Amino acid sequence: MLSAAEITAAADDLLDAERGRHQIGLLSLRHPQITLEDAYAIQSAQMARKLAQGRRILGWKIGLTSKVMQAALGIDTPDSGVLYNDMLFQSGATVPAGRFIQPRIEAEIAFVMKGPLSGSVTREAVLAATDYVTPALEILDTRILRHDPATGTARKIFDTVADNAANAGIVLGETRHAPDAVDLRWTGAILRKDGAVEATGLGAAVLDDPVTGLVWLARRMGQYAQRIEPGQVILSGSFIAPIECPPGTAIAADYGPFGQISIDFA
């Protein structure tokens, strides 16, 4: 476990890295004793600072929902992070040069809520609390090095969670669907990078059903006396591997009848 001073120092370093567009060393190497609770405490410390500065919570992201990504980090559970109002991009927008450090893209299904959720909830309760679902792209970025340059050690789940689950931006689609009007397990996308097909995937890659992620998130938030609020956007998890987006990249995701969405990087 980390001390309060160590948690504050780590949060300060990550906030400074975000402002300065640079990366810090692995927290898991700096603090070998770090726990998942410590990592979420570091994330929460940053959230408190950002809210005090006037940013607002847009919603929440669920990450590490695929077996492949969980195996890569040696875990068997998803993680979560905070979406802020200044992270939102419209479909078709261009991300300004220098906005992010090492941006990557993931294709997801977003849930926009009309009712609150917290604690042990059912799949049916999630659907009843959802206003609509829509295509979404998550922009990932990392304020922590992916690998330690001296040892080659890869970042761990503690690093990712402390770094707001690597979240940096969100692109929402314009089509809206009732959550029970489509089989979200069979909802997927063909994602093109610079005009060429880069990845394809289906919602079933997300915990077998994207709704399951919201069941998990509501339970996790309930443990900390938090809840998913009406109007919030929930990113349910990616069904493709992250795609690198260096300057000049054009991303377009075709979800078929579910909708289309795109984003460019200057």
Side-chain angles (χ1 to χ4, degrees), residues 64-241:
L64 302 178
T65 51
S66 72
K67 294 293 186 182
V68 172
M69 294 302 293
Q70 289 181 4
L73 289 175
I75 60 168
D76 59 1
T77 183
D79 68 357
S80 65
V82 191
L83 303 176
Y84 297 98
N85 60 301
D86 59 351
M87 291 180 171
L88 182 62
F89 291 88
Q90 298 300 315
S91 179
T94 297
V95 177
R99 171 70 184 267
F100 301 118
I101 304 168
Q102 289 182 325
R104 297 186 293 171
I105 279 284
E106 291 182 334
E108 312 200 11
I109 297 169
F111 289 65
V112 179
M113 312 308 296
K114 63 181 179 182
L117 286 173
S118 184
S120 296
V121 301
T122 63
R123 184 180 190 278
E124 291 70 28
V126 170
L127 294 177
T130 301
D131 187 11
Y132 62 90
V133 290
T134 188
L137 297 174
E138 181 182 0
I139 303 174
L140 302 174
D141 202 11
T142 175
R143 281 68 58 173
I144 295 179
L145 292 169
R146 296 182 195 173
H147 293 85
D148 177 64
T151 64
T153 302
R155 62 180 176 175
K156 295 181 170 58
I157 181 65
F158 316 110
D159 301 293
T160 304
V161 168
D163 191 22
N164 197 30
N167 179 253
I170 173 177
V171 189
L172 285 181
E174 298 176 350
T175 54
R176 301 182 177 190
H177 305 270
D180 56 356
V182 290
D183 187 341
L184 296 176
R185 298 170 304 160
W186 283 98
T187 300
I190 302 168
L191 193 140
R192 289 180 170 84
K193 176 180 177 180
D194 299 330
V197 173
E198 184 79 8
T200 63
L202 289 173
V206 180
L207 300 172
D208 193 39
D209 182 352
V211 178
T212 304
L214 278 77
V215 172
W216 173 86
L217 180 63
R219 184 182 305 117
R220 198 199 77 77
M221 293 183 71
Q223 294 172 349
Y224 299 93
Q226 298 174 319
R227 70 177 192 173
I228 298 169
E229 299 288 355
Q232 289 186 342
V233 177
I234 311 299
L235 290 180
S236 59
S238 178
F239 47 75
I240 64 168

Side-chain angles (χ1 to χ4, degrees), residues 49-69:
R49 200 84 57 82
K50 290 177 179 181
L51 295 180
Q53 293 169 352
R55 295 169 81 172
R56 293 179 289 105
I57 294 177
L58 176 68
W60 306 87
K61 70 153 284 185
I62 306 165
L64 302 178
T65 51
S66 72
K67 294 293 186 182
V68 172
M69 294 302 293

